[in-house]
Amino acid sequence: MDDQVRLNDTYSAAPETWSRWARRVLGRDWQTGYLFVLPMVIIMGGLIFWPFISAIMLSLTAFNFSTGETYNVGIRNYQRLFSNSDYILALKNTISFTFWSLAFKFVIGMIVALILNSRLPYRSILSGIMLLPWIVPEIVTALAWKSIYDPLFGGLNPMLMAARIIDRPLGWISDPNMAMGSVISVNVWKGIPFFVLLFLSGLKAIDREQLEAAEVDGANVVQRFRHVTLPGLRYVIVVTLLLSFISTFNQFGLPFLLTGGGPSGATKLYAILAYEKAIGSLQYGPGIAIAFSTAPLIAILIWLLARFMRQDDKRDDNADRKPGIVDRSMAVAGKILSLVIDVIFWPIQLIYAGVEMIARFARRMSGRSPSKPLLSLAARERGGTIAKLVVLLPFMVFVIFPFFWIIITSLKSTAQISERRSIFWPQPATLEQYDALIHGTGFITWFLNSILVAAASTVVSVSLASLAAYALTRLRFLGAGLLTTLLLITYLLPGTLLFIPLYQTLSSIGIINSYAALILTYPTFLLPFATWVMLGYFRSIPVEVEEAAMIDGANRFYIFLRITLPLAAPALLSVTLFAFTNAWNEFLFAFVFITSESLRTLPIGLQSMVVGDILPWGKLMAASLLTAVPVALLYMYAQRFLVGGLTVGAVKG
């Protein structure tokens, strides 16, 4: 009898022993945690990491068109790149494009942010206008500027000729000597809002007491900017430049839509060359080798960015740790950069000192005290406001003109456009182009396709991101830290490294050229961002609310669905809007994965309206306006939620 009791106790204790062991090794919440993150892990593993690994293997092969066989060539595809004149030219173009784009975006973004951060009438309206290019689809941006640059029907040549800056029409994107500069200008136009938005958030975080203390100590405006504002923006500047570098260096859509890489390869970036080689010529091995040739550089930048974005979380844990070689190297790099900035600011400081000297001399000549200003406080404030508006005006014109051009061109008749009558105003205004667009093209079909794909991919991405973000912030399970790091890496991974292996994967499972191809692949870039932002917002929600619900007997899924998710509504709306906008505007995946006209989304449909050298500018501008309006209306409706949700997510995450 006793033996039977002991045997029963052994069987009943076994599950309890396994449960304790699993909780000790896998974490307290391993069952719920793994269940919540499983869908995201499947997508990341199946559509990001596995295609990435298979692409590396494929880059070591070549295809024999005569025999139809794929054979291994080792690293020969990579070795050949450095003796390939097309690749070397594309790499030089990419470096030039990236450097000048970042330089102009940084300078313009900083100037505009400093002005908008000061006292200015109608500042909220001016800020909203400066952010408009951010929400415009890439295809709309490309078509608008392509129309403006057109040597025959565009608006840039007539303006410059009327101002006597040029004496004949110029081929802005058809002249090899001018094409790269023209493409860079469009990229700068599109990227200004990103820099302005992040710099503004950084400027608002700077303690005004530090600026006031520096002014009391006698520091002029240049010295205050150099020694107070710039150091206060250090983190924001580094993160902004790294993010923009990764995005700009891997740019495909804008240059491809504007010039196709021409003329004569003048604007052919490495991403365009990779597409032409892999998809255009069906040489997947060499094409992937081109795309992956820059992977080591991107990996270093992603590592640096991840280090900066997570340094605040680790600062307290590593307070007693001695700096390593990486920390010392970065400190040396910071000192060198500080010296370079001092050299740049030296002539600016001399000029400002000269202006102050002239002002003091003028005060003496007028019989005033050298320390007393020439103008009253009110006059100085009015003068300062006027000066700021004068500086801001060229940037405002640069931002607004493409929108003005889209609207007026869409309201012109075909005859008025072709005859170049009343270039800057429709006479008379007509809806002819809209009628021809809706009844003469597949615009309605493209519009509905975009709604279907964007809505479905957004629902999938935001739902899975919410589950994964909650698990990573609230639940304890083995691998949560590693998964968070991998999430950041996939968030920063450029699409140019994925579109070729994804094309191969989708072809092998038979869903290429279908809605499923886009709905499955869009989460590869929507899900990591959505999860990262939701991570930050969930961390800002007090955990005591959930603990009280658990004491009352609620399980984790109930708490997530009924308590935490409603509290995170602002971030949820922000992420949904951002994900929908990205899916609505996406060009690269749709261009590569979709070939049927009936399945085209709006960006691909608009691009297909351009046939050779025939560009129906009226219909293209009407389509561009109708494509941009839905996203603009969504942002106008939910602007306050968008800013609040993304700010908390970005700062906390």
Side-chain angles (χ1 to χ4, degrees):
M1 187 67 177
D2 292 340
D3 293 340
Q4 183 66 36
V5 171
R6 277 196 297 271
L7 186 62
N8 291 338
D9 290 342
T10 301
Y11 280 120
S12 63
E16 185 179 353
T17 303
W18 155 253
S19 177
R20 285 202 302 268
W21 180 87
R23 286 168 62 89
R24 186 172 65 252
V25 175
L26 300 178
R28 182 189 65 193
D29 307 304
W30 69 275
Q31 291 174 310
T32 308
Y34 288 152
L35 184 65
F36 275 35
V37 301
L38 182 62
M40 185 186 71
V41 171
I42 291 174
I43 289 180
M44 289 174 60
L47 293 175
I48 297 178
F49 290 109
W50 170 245
F52 190 82
I53 298 300
S54 63
I56 294 176
M57 303 303 295
L58 193 59
S59 71
L60 305 177
T61 66
F63 181 74
N64 190 318
F65 287 94
S66 300
T67 62
E69 295 180 353
T70 299
Y71 57 97
N72 196 307
V73 296
I75 62 171
R76 200 179 306 162
N77 286 331
Y78 293 94
Q79 291 173 333
R80 288 172 177 170
L81 292 178
F82 300 100
S83 59
N84 187 310
S85 58
D86 290 339
Y87 174 77
I88 293 172
L89 175 62
L91 199 57
K92 289 180 179 178
N93 288 341
T94 304
I95 293 171
S96 175
F97 174 78
T98 303
F99 175 80
W100 290 111
S101 293
L102 259 64
F104 282 110
K105 283 188 282 189
F106 177 82
V107 173
I108 295 174
M110 182 64 74
I111 292 172
V112 172
L114 287 170
I115 294 174
L116 294 178
N117 192 53
S118 63
R119 293 181 181 177
L120 208 63
Y122 309 109
R123 184 172 62 177
S124 59
I125 296 176
L126 296 175
S127 300
I129 291 173
M130 289 303 302
L131 298 179
L132 279 175
W134 189 28
I135 65 174
V136 176
E138 198 170 52
I139 182 68
V140 174
T141 300
L143 289 176
W145 279 98
K146 198 168 185 176
S147 176
I148 292 169
Y149 283 145
D150 192 290
L152 295 178
F153 308 109
L156 184 57
N157 278 327
M159 282 195 305
L160 296 180
M161 291 174 70
R164 300 187 181 278
I165 297 175
I166 59 175
D167 57 1
R168 57 183 176 80
L170 300 177
W172 297 96
I173 55 177
S174 59
D175 185 340
N177 296 319
M178 303 180 66
M180 179 58 81
S182 301
V183 173
I184 289 172
S185 299
V186 179
N187 186 260
V188 169
W189 182 86
K190 182 71 173 171
I192 286 175
F194 178 74
F195 278 72
V196 171
L197 187 65
L198 292 185
F199 287 167
L200 269 176
S201 65
L203 287 169
K204 292 181 186 300
I206 294 177
D207 188 357
R208 296 197 64 84
E209 292 183 359
Q210 295 182 6
L211 292 168
E212 292 169 358
E215 187 176 7
V216 170
D217 290 340
N220 58 39
V221 73
V222 177
Q223 292 169 332
R224 292 198 298 274
F225 177 75
R226 168 64 188 94
H227 297 289
V228 179
T229 304
L230 268 186
L233 290 174
R234 181 179 64 250
Y235 174 81
V236 173
I237 289 173
V238 171
V239 170
T240 303
L241 286 175
L242 284 173
L243 280 171
S244 185
F245 184 96
I246 293 171
S247 172
T248 307
F249 192 84
N250 294 283
Q251 182 69 253
F252 174 85
L254 276 180
F256 183 81
L257 290 167
L258 282 167
T259 65
S264 303
T267 61
K268 184 174 291 184
L269 308 183
Y270 94 95
I272 297 176
L273 182 65
Y275 165 80
E276 291 179 347
K277 184 70 72 173
I279 308 299
S281 302
L282 297 179
Q283 299 181 46
Y284 296 116
I288 294 175
I290 293 172
F292 276 50
S293 63
T294 61
L297 172 63
I298 300 302
I300 293 172
L301 293 175
I302 289 176
W303 176 78
L304 285 173
L305 186 55
R307 186 181 180 88
F308 270 97
M309 292 180 75
R310 301 190 65 185
Q311 67 179 5
D312 290 336
D313 295 335
K314 297 180 178 180
R315 189 169 293 162
D316 295 335
D317 298 337
N318 298 335
D320 298 329
R321 182 178 62 86
K322 292 183 178 180
I325 186 170
V326 176
D327 299 310
R328 292 195 297 269
S329 300
M330 294 178 70
V332 171
K335 291 179 180 179
I336 294 173
L337 182 60
S338 178
L339 181 61
V340 171
I341 293 174
D342 285 337
V343 172
I344 294 173
F345 271 84
W346 180 68
I348 298 175
Q349 179 61 37
L350 285 180
I351 293 171
Y352 191 85
V355 171
E356 285 187 326
M357 189 180 299
I358 294 172
R360 285 196 297 269
F361 179 75
R363 287 195 290 269
R364 287 196 185 96
M365 293 297 293
S366 62
R368 293 172 178 261
S369 170
S371 60
K372 186 177 182 180
L374 286 172
L375 302 174
S376 65
L377 178 62
R380 291 202 308 275
E381 289 181 350
R382 284 195 301 271
T385 300
I386 293 172
K388 292 171 188 174
L389 291 174
V390 168
V391 174
L392 192 61
L393 182 61
F395 303 123
M396 296 293 293
V397 172
F398 179 55
V399 166
I400 293 173
F401 183 74
F403 297 100
F404 169 76
W405 183 257
I406 289 173
I407 294 171
I408 64 166
T409 305
S410 70
L411 295 174
K412 293 178 182 179
S413 65
T414 302
Q416 184 181 348
I417 295 172
S418 59
E419 294 171 10
R420 289 182 284 177
R421 290 186 282 108
S422 183
I423 294 175
F424 298 106
W425 198 254
Q427 289 185 347
T430 176
L431 297 178
E432 170 191 322
Q433 305 299 342
Y434 293 92
D435 183 69
L437 174 72
I438 293 173
H439 296 100
T441 68
F443 182 82
I444 299 299
T445 301
W446 306 334
F447 191 91
L448 294 175
N449 289 342
S450 288
I451 291 177
L452 172 63
V453 171
S457 57
T458 297
V459 169
V460 170
S461 300
V462 175
S463 301
L464 301 186
S466 301
L467 284 169
Y470 179 80
L472 293 173
T473 52
R474 290 292 195 258
L475 307 180
R476 296 181 183 178
F477 57 93
L478 182 67
L482 175 62
L483 193 57
T484 304
T485 302
L486 292 176
L487 186 71
L488 179 59
I489 293 173
T490 55
Y491 166 40
L492 300 172
L493 202 64
T496 48
L497 296 182
L498 292 177
F499 76 93
I500 300 174
L502 279 175
Y503 180 87
Q504 288 282 94
T505 302
L506 297 175
S507 298
S508 64
I509 61 178
I511 61 170
I512 199 74
N513 192 36
S514 67
Y515 292 128
L518 300 183
I519 294 172
L520 279 177
T521 56
Y522 280 10
T524 60
F525 59 87
L526 299 179
L527 183 56
F529 172 81
T531 308
W532 191 255
V533 175
M534 293 302 294
L535 272 171
Y537 208 91
F538 283 147
R539 285 172 183 162
S540 69
I541 297 175
V543 71
E544 290 79 11
V545 179
E546 298 178 14
E547 291 175 346
M550 291 181 69
I551 292 173
D552 292 338
N555 59 40
R556 280 293 186 180
F557 187 76
Y558 180 89
I559 292 171
F560 164 75
L561 196 62
R562 299 294 184 182
I563 298 175
T564 309
L565 211 56
L567 291 175
L572 201 62
L573 179 58
S574 301
V575 168
T576 301
L577 278 173
F578 195 90
F580 184 87
T581 303
N582 273 9
W584 181 268
N585 298 343
E586 201 282 327
F587 174 79
L588 177 59
F589 285 3
F591 180 67
V592 175
F593 302 154
I594 300 297
T595 56
S596 298
E597 183 176 353
S598 61
L599 298 177
R600 288 172 181 166
T601 57
L602 277 172
I604 310 308
L606 267 64
Q607 191 265 344
S608 69
M609 291 172 64
V610 179
V611 182
D613 294 331
I614 302 174
L615 296 101
W617 287 126
K619 285 192 290 187
L620 285 171
M621 294 302 101
S624 298
L625 186 61
L626 293 179
T627 301
V629 163
V631 176
L633 291 177
L634 283 173
Y635 271 82
M636 288 173 61
Y637 171 74
Q639 183 181 11
R640 61 192 179 96
F641 297 107
L642 178 74
V643 174
L646 288 183
T647 300
V648 172
V651 173
K652 298 288 184 183

